[in-house]
Amino acid sequence: MSNQKISWGIAPIGWRNDDIPEIGKENTLSHLLSDIVVAGFQGTEVGGFFPEAKVLNKELKLRNLRIAGQWFSSFLIRDGLEEVAKEFHKHCAYLQEVNAAVAVVSEQTYSIQGTDKNVFTEKPTFTDEEWRGLCQGLNELGKIAEQYDLKLVFHHHMGTGVQTIEEIDRLMEHTDPKHVHLLYDTGHIFVSDGDYTALLNKHIKRIKHVHFKDVRATILKQCEDNGHSFLQSFLNGMFTVPGDGCIDFTEVYQVLLDYNYQGWVVIEAEQDPSIAHPLEYALIARKYIDEKILKKTALA
């Protein structure tokens, strides 16, 4: 039996990728949304190719789907709060119009995720002064999000200055828990630190949005050995949907239930849709959720 307080979504990234827009460009919005319905999910996140709110709302209503949130590239360290806040207001206004729950924020200053740099050895770091500016800025962005009935959830991400558990610890310690929440992504923390439970257990109180992303361990090792970039790694198939990799999501889901987590769990896997058929992989994830995650936790 499913916990009714948890909504299950699947991200558009399996159909079309914002980092490499030419990937999956043949997949239209109506195709994507209809696949999501077929696969039995309740909603999705906004992709870079999504239309204005009025158009999107009509398409969602036709299919009884909801929007969980949308990615926002923050450059607080590079550009300062004033500049970032202008864009963030627009971002949040759109999300409010499509009845989203969260604004997903990632600090992209010095990020190497869109470059050809080795994502395993060349990640950026921040100075103490930059950390102060980031944390203070996030507190203010969190307050802006609340003006639009949204929660700011920070996305720790491979190839950025907030990737490892130590960096996430620092961000959590120096931001206000009333205004800055955490997006917990199983795939990113596992690739970064080789562990996905420590972060979950340590910061469960701050987690307000969840990405379930699986990892193919053999391909991860190959990518690491070959010094691949983030883009090369996901094009080679490092990430996949739950049930197709090495992460035990039943364990993760049980922790969420034990803490009475309320919010979205969004399936996400950066893959090339010409290789990993989007609907096929959405159905693989759905089968795993129904037969492993929900069944096991219902019996527990």
Side-chain angles (χ1 to χ4, degrees):
M1 183 178 164
S2 175
N3 181 327
Q4 296 304 308
K5 294 170 183 174
I6 291 178
S7 299
W8 290 94
I10 188 164
I13 205 165
W15 285 261
R16 285 173 71 162
N17 194 293
D18 289 348
D19 288 329
I20 312 178
E22 61 271 21
I23 288 182
K25 62 183 178 183
E26 70 282 358
N27 291 322
T28 63
L29 177 73
S30 53
H31 175 169
L32 156 74
L33 295 179
S34 295
D35 276 0
I36 288 171
V37 173
V38 170
F41 289 95
Q42 294 163 272
T44 188
E45 293 182 349
V46 173
F49 62 96
F50 277 34
E52 61 181 278
K54 188 178 177 183
V55 175
L56 178 57
N57 282 337
K58 180 176 181 179
E59 296 294 331
L60 292 168
K61 190 176 179 184
L62 286 169
R63 297 166 179 83
N64 193 29
L65 291 174
R66 292 180 289 134
I67 291 296
Q70 182 183 12
W71 172 281
F72 178 80
S73 291
S74 159
F75 290 90
L76 283 164
I77 292 170
R78 187 191 73 186
D79 298 340
L81 175 62
E82 192 177 338
E83 282 302 307
V84 173
K86 288 178 195 170
E87 292 306 311
F88 194 59
H89 270 288
K90 293 178 201 169
H91 182 83
C92 291
Y94 177 89
L95 286 178
Q96 184 180 44
E97 212 175 331
V98 298
N99 302 302
V102 299
V104 176
V105 174
S106 172
E107 180 60 27
Q108 289 292 296
T109 301
Y110 313 135
S111 171
I112 62 165
Q113 71 187 69
T115 74
D116 60 2
K117 289 186 176 181
N118 182 339
V119 75
F120 302 98
T121 62
E122 297 185 76
K123 73 170 292 303
T125 56
F126 302 144
T127 65
D128 289 346
E129 187 180 349
E130 288 170 337
W131 270 107
R132 278 192 292 275
L134 172 61
C135 293
Q136 288 166 8
L138 287 172
N139 286 338
E140 296 309 312
L141 293 185
K143 293 173 190 174
I144 292 171
E146 288 153 22
Q147 294 171 27
Y148 299 89
D149 299 317
L150 298 162
K151 285 186 172 72
L152 182 155
V153 291
F154 191 89
H155 193 337
H156 57 95
H157 201 285
M158 288 295 297
T160 73
V162 188
Q163 171 188 303
T164 66
I165 193 165
E166 290 84 3
E167 290 161 343
I168 299 163
D169 286 348
R170 185 167 183 175
L171 189 90
M172 293 293 95
E173 185 181 346
H174 295 286
T175 52
D176 189 334
K178 292 198 297 288
H179 305 302
V180 179
H181 313 282
L182 183 64
L183 185 160
Y184 166 66
D185 187 300
T186 54
H188 280 279
I189 196 62
F190 181 72
V191 171
S192 173
D193 288 26
D195 176 89
Y196 52 90
T197 56
L199 174 62
L200 174 67
N201 288 305
K202 192 168 193 179
H203 293 299
I204 186 69
K205 291 181 181 178
R206 299 286 290 272
I207 294 168
K208 300 297 180 188
H209 198 58
V210 175
H211 282 174
F212 273 10
K213 183 191 276 101
D214 213 338
V215 175
R216 296 181 177 101
T218 52
I219 297 177
L220 165 59
K221 187 174 187 313
Q222 289 167 14
C223 293
E224 202 164 1
D225 289 347
N226 293 322
H228 282 331
S229 69
F230 181 72
L231 298 182
Q232 285 173 319
S233 296
F234 84 66
L235 287 174
N236 283 333
M238 180 173 76
F239 291 126
T240 186
V241 297
D244 191 43
C246 63
I247 291 175
D248 179 5
F249 291 90
T250 63
E251 181 184 8
V252 175
Y253 191 70
Q254 190 61 57
V255 174
L256 295 174
L257 289 184
D258 291 345
Y259 187 71
N260 196 29
Y261 171 79
Q262 298 180 32
W264 284 90
V265 174
V266 177
I267 305 303
E268 188 186 59
E270 289 100 330
Q271 298 194 88
D272 183 343
S274 66
I275 297 169
H277 189 288
L279 179 56
E280 179 185 353
Y281 276 82
L283 290 167
I284 290 169
R286 186 72 248 183
K287 188 170 189 280
Y288 179 80
I289 291 164
D290 291 342
E291 296 181 4
K292 301 290 185 188
I293 296 178
L294 298 182
K295 190 174 282 187
K296 182 174 179 180
T297 51
L299 295 171

